[in-house]
Amino acid sequence: MAWKIMIQGTMSNAGKSLLCAGLCRIFKQDGYKVAPFKSQNMALNSFITDKGLEMGRAQVVQAEAAGIEPEVSMNPILLKPTNDVGSQVIVNGEVLGNMSARDYFKYKKELIPDVMKAFHKLEENYDIIVIEGAGSPAEINLKENDIVNMGLAKMVDAPVLLVGDIDRGGVFAQLLGTLLLLEEDEKERVKGLIINKFRGDKTILDPGIEMLEEKGNVPVIGVTPYLHVEIEDEDSLTERFTSKKSGGLLDIAVIRTPRISNFTDFMVLENIPEVSLRYVKNVSEFGTPDMIILPGTKNTMGDLKWIRESGLGACILKSASGTPVWGICGGYQMLGEVLCDPDQVEDGGTMQGMGLLPSETVFTGQKTRTRVNGTFAHVEGIFSELSNVAFEGYEIHMGETTYVEEVISKEHMSRIQDTVSGKISEDGISDGNVYGTYIHGIFDMEGVTDVIVKALAKKKGITLEKASGMDLKSFKEEQYDKLADGIRSHLDMERIYEIMKENVEEK
């Protein structure tokens, strides 16, 4: 029987995902075969497996930390919000359909067999399963038929570590309040408390910890520091959106739309020393960027409407004559001349695009979901040296984009091969200094970012000391080891192993 440990939090963004990734790395370092699991994930940052199935990115990161290939059984249910009251529901990597929050709340118990089948598959193949909860187990309005926090802990019989975020204040109230709202049998599952994101002298915290243990009757097994690691995140509360990197000679602006997705596409650009990449959500933040990026989105038509209403659309159009613009996935669709939604996949009807690319998009109910290898072919403008440069990535989108009839014979920007089906096709359009592609992760290859950054520097009349990107795989490995070192030195790992062992021995 596999050992299990579950990380639950007092709130969203308490640090559950990162702690799970760190534990996966630690167990791997200690010689165990470990896998992550999260029954239900809500995120717009998703990933496509090598089988063409869609899952949450947090479990992909955790799988990488564990040194294994991600598989959809690690995240059997993924909810991708389409608006404020509904989501696209993805089960076992495939779209089930769109549901309102109320309808899904009633339906989710029907998915328990899928959750348990996925968990048992992992249990058969791994020594340790690191389970991540969602939000808080004390959301009493959502506890009925819970399948992701204490409900899941009971189903798979997992001991729980409860994490509180001290960085946002009130950590003692967070932890004690959560324990107070748990049922007695749920509280018995909580074997330890973790105070996360601490900055400062821990001795000042000790009196509070003593009182916390006394009132909660649960030991504190670690105070983990605020760790400065560069690891992909998927949460809408990510600090990437508000971080202000200064000192970069090149300025890249990513338009932060309400339904932005897969912002991990820009991690490589963020980590080039002489590039400042910032997320822009209003006209006052726009400035005079050296490159503009329209990212992926879960609602292209809705976010395009927002871009226009916010005034950012006018800024982009005004800048596009002299500033290169990249659109990825939904951003690519926005750059065209027209968007048609006859089947009401999104908002329905027809909408005028930004008119920066000679293309049109028609939304259909079929979702493209695959991994690809590709090579740039016909690239115009400032980034023409991308021609013949290789890349890899993945596609997740509704709708197909083609040239408008007037230029139907024009060559596409790249040639791609679907690594799932083997099918060879074309992707993307470049027109002057405007570029569009469906490929997420297209910037991850060092050869791609090297050309882009050098071209931007040349246009600006500057020389960069370090123009190239990074070896992403090696960089990630370094960051996972750094994360594990930070967590190992501040958690009572001996006690965590005892908790897992005792849980199995009691059976």
Side-chain angles (χ1 to χ4, degrees), residues 182-285:
L182 294 178
E183 304 294 336
E184 194 57 41
D185 64 325
E186 294 173 338
K187 185 177 176 180
E188 288 176 2
R189 289 196 172 276
V190 182
K191 304 301 182 181
L193 306 177
I194 300 173
I195 295 175
N196 197 25
K197 304 182 188 178
F198 180 69
R199 314 180 199 233
D201 184 346
K202 182 183 170 296
T203 59
I204 299 174
L205 203 62
D206 287 342
I209 291 175
E210 186 176 337
M211 186 176 292
L212 173 62
E213 292 181 327
E214 180 183 324
K215 290 184 176 294
N217 199 30
V218 180
V220 174
I221 64 168
V223 177
T224 49
Y226 197 104
L227 295 170
H228 297 281
V229 290
E230 284 291 333
I231 291 176
E232 293 178 359
D233 49 13
E234 66 175 8
D235 202 299
S236 61
L237 300 174
T238 177
E239 295 177 4
R240 294 180 186 279
F241 289 160
T242 55
S243 64
K244 304 294 181 184
K245 177 182 173 183
S246 59
L249 296 176
L250 294 176
D251 176 29
I252 297 177
V254 179
I255 306 302
R256 182 186 166 186
T257 59
R259 298 294 171 195
I260 184 173
S261 67
N262 295 80
F263 49 82
T264 48
D265 285 341
F266 317 120
M267 183 176 175
V268 173
L269 291 168
E270 285 179 18
N271 285 282
I272 296 175
E274 294 180 328
V275 170
S276 292
L277 185 140
R278 44 194 187 89
Y279 291 86
V280 174
K281 63 178 180 178
N282 55 55
V283 171
S284 64
E285 296 174 346

Side-chain angles (χ1 to χ4, degrees), residues 148-166:
V148 68
N149 284 310
M150 283 299 176
L152 177 65
K154 293 176 185 178
M155 285 190 283
V156 302
D157 194 19
V160 173
L161 303 180
L162 182 63
V163 183
D165 177 3
I166 195 171

Side-chain angles (χ1 to χ4, degrees), residues 10 23 38 44 83 93 97 101 173 183 185 211 218 254 269 294 311 320 351 374 388 390 393 396 478 483:
T10 57
L23 286 173
K38 186 168 184 174
L44 288 175
N83 53 48
E183 304 294 336
D185 64 325
M211 186 176 292
V218 180
V254 179
L269 291 168
L294 275 69
M351 177 181 285
N388 299 317
I396 318 173
E478 291 171 4
L483 173 65

